[in-house]
Amino acid sequence: MRTWLKITLGILISFLLIFIIGGYIFYRMLNNSLPMYEGSLSVPGLKNNVEIYFDSLAIPYIYASNDEDAAFALGYLHAQERMFIMDVIRRAGEGRLSEVFGKETLPFDKMFRTIGIKQTAEMIKRKMNSDALKILEAYSGGVNYYINKYKSKYTFEFDLLGYEPEQWTPENSLVVIRMMGWELNLSWWTDITFTELAQKLGKEKVKDILPGYPENAPTIIPDHLNKFADVNTSFIETDKAFRKFFGFTGTHIGSNNWVVNNSLSASGSPIIANDPHLAFSAPGKWYAAVIKSPEWSAAGVTLPGVPGVVIGKNENISWVLTNIMTDDCDFYFEKLDSSGTKYLVDSKWRELKMDEDTIFVKGEKPVPITIRKTHRGPIISDIYPYNFVYNKSGTKYPTMSMHWVGNDFSDEAEAFMEINKASNWKEFKSAVQKFNVPGQNFVYADKDGNIGYLFGGVVPLRGKNPTNVTSTTFIFDGTTSANDWTGLLSKNKSPELFNPPQNYIASANNKTVKNFNYHITNLWEPSSRIERITELLSSKEKQSVQDFKKYQMDIVSPYAKKVVSYILQAFKDITVTDKNLKQSLELLGDWDFELSKYRQAPTIYLTTFKFLLENTYEDEMGSDLFNQYVFMANIPYRNILDLLQNANSNWWDDVNTPERETRNEIIRKSVANALTYLEENVSGDIKDWQWGELHYVTFKHMFSGNFSLLDDIINIGPYELGGDGTTIFNTEYRFSKSIEKIPMFKHDLFENVLGPSMRYLYDFSEPDEFYLILTTGQSGNVMSNHYSDQSLMWLNGRYMKISTNDETIKAPPNKLLTLVP
């Protein structure tokens, strides 16, 4: 054999052996981290034995003799399935990501150190209810039992990043709760964007594109905006990059919930439903559990990192949630003195509170930072990262502070423990009144046939006359105390509803109540989902669980019907000769507005809608401001309908041409752009334009996008699907351009990034069972059989039937894990 051939074969064999041995070691490492579902564990810290049964989808059924042991067991279960994401979320909230990720995450650490979530959690712990604190301490004990027992056997993410999780504390759980509040609080974003728009385009131009103009609190663009330098948007760019880093790329954050009482129920008992819309990820947001102890018997979905059932049922009641979209965050222009240590309020200088801090960065020198605070909250304009997104370095920006209700005291841990244990409306109401962040619509039903709604949040009282608030959409002038919050609206004045005459209650992030005296928000979702829900709930004399299953998968859009009418009208007297255009208009004209993945009409409509937004707004705004404006999807969704009703709006004119364009001309241009895009990027033949060819979902791991072979293991999908951001089955895609420079797939333009994070159904006529489905599975371990075993069920509208009956739970083939003191 020739020498070169021997050498080549030797190298190939060596590489093969290294690959086999390395793969075997990696496989063993991954398998060693698999969760334990059967057997017995000797556990320090428990008072009595705890039995945990697991069904075929790894749903745990916890039997404990006291609340603390139940919380301990839940902490252990969360840790063995989701320790990495729990650890990353607490690190994010504390501003400590850079210790393990390096300098890439330094802007995020600066942001969250500035916001002060860790300090808020420490303050809450000092003030919170002692019984709730005991539950947090017991839960932390369960997490720490896992951390201590499984050293060097954690999931692969810890090995790749080269670190081990630290001990869990009650403060960490409080950080996780506040981080959920931060994810669901988007009102902070609009103030900055609309202020920049007003500074660039002027008051008269911008008032036509404000969300919900006019609104229950009149929106009058204030004159003070031009007194200050152009606003700095780097703060919201940092947050957008953070959301991208975590996979929180959707902004149309909402949900659906509804309940019918005995009169509308086919079973004769209330039936309640919920599907919270959150950003997709792998693993998903929720962990299902059934908890049984003498004083705490609850079942539903839990949030890893926190003890308690967030959405679900107990033996007497059931509760479900949607986001209120509360405007509970304001920004203020501040005027500093030459030393940068004082700020002006009512013609007097006040001292800034100065906190020195240090961020430790993996592989780099520690980074010292100074956090400055006013009486309202932190100065957030000191954050100037991500110039690669909006390159505005060297520009002089005004100083801005932020007041967020999430930095004030509230005890959501206590609230949810009391909700879990509530046995009637009075107890439930008392518990919800302790809940502030994030603001939620609580819909309720009980075994006695009652249904109800409670406003679970707070309304800031702004200025001396909070019933006549103006300018909440913009940054306030901080040099006067007239714009300060004077308190929070009394919970007794918050909206509520009990046993309404229509026999049902539904919410889909729509406006809470008409003619309310106080400003709640102007960030309501478009009315499409609530219109469709109301239509379906009114379509039959009696509703069943099977009906509700169909409704949660519904992809008919009343919104599309409204927009398409304007598209067809734009071509009413136009002679059409182009074959694809003629066929497209015929498809739209015959369409029933079901956004099926198998049909072409949704593709034509939604591609046209994409270009309609660009052709309407981008010429005036420019690319940067346009992407900020459409970043929160419900704003352009609502405003473009308002503009379509006003054929003479100045926004239809393209400022880059000498002619004055009309509404119909812009619509026709958008249709032409859409057809060109589809012909060039999909096919010249309309039969290939099925919506599912462009619209898909991939549940992405946090490490996704770094290595394609790894992506095949850690990501779940892609799966084709129908719907859009206006259907009950919400399948939102981005309107703004992604920060990613290279899209993962050819049609990244319509990638679904947000939607039903779980689906829940409960009929009180069957008290020992409920229906639930998650987006991925119970486990965050990529080697687990339960990492993705629910995804296809979720996609196809199937559900787990979870039993709370003792005999069923303890029967084979369910497995038993016993925790022994």
Side-chain angles (χ1 to χ4, degrees), residues 419-479:
I419 289 170
N420 279 209
K421 298 180 179 183
S423 59
N424 54 50
W425 173 252
K426 182 180 178 180
E427 292 177 3
F428 179 73
K429 182 177 179 179
S430 175
V432 172
Q433 286 187 332
K434 298 176 181 178
F435 186 95
N436 287 5
V437 181
Q440 296 291 294
N441 296 302
F442 283 80
V443 168
Y444 163 98
D446 64 36
K447 65 180 183 181
D448 296 324
N450 299 303
I451 62 174
Y453 162 83
L454 288 174
F455 183 97
V458 290
V459 177
L461 300 178
R462 297 170 169 94
K464 296 179 180 179
N465 187 8
T467 62
N468 188 31
V469 174
T470 62
S471 308
T472 59
T473 307
F474 299 92
I475 300 174
F476 287 102
D477 181 355
T479 64

Side-chain angles (χ1 to χ4, degrees), residues 144-175:
N144 291 330
Y145 171 72
Y146 169 81
I147 291 173
N148 297 331
K149 180 176 177 58
Y150 290 94
K151 282 187 179 294
S152 304
K153 295 182 180 180
Y154 305 125
T155 54
F156 83 98
E157 295 94 340
F158 289 103
D159 293 312
L160 286 183
L161 293 173
Y163 84 102
E164 293 187 346
E166 298 173 357
Q167 294 291 287
W168 194 267
T169 67
E171 291 93 333
N172 297 152
S173 293
L174 297 172
V175 165

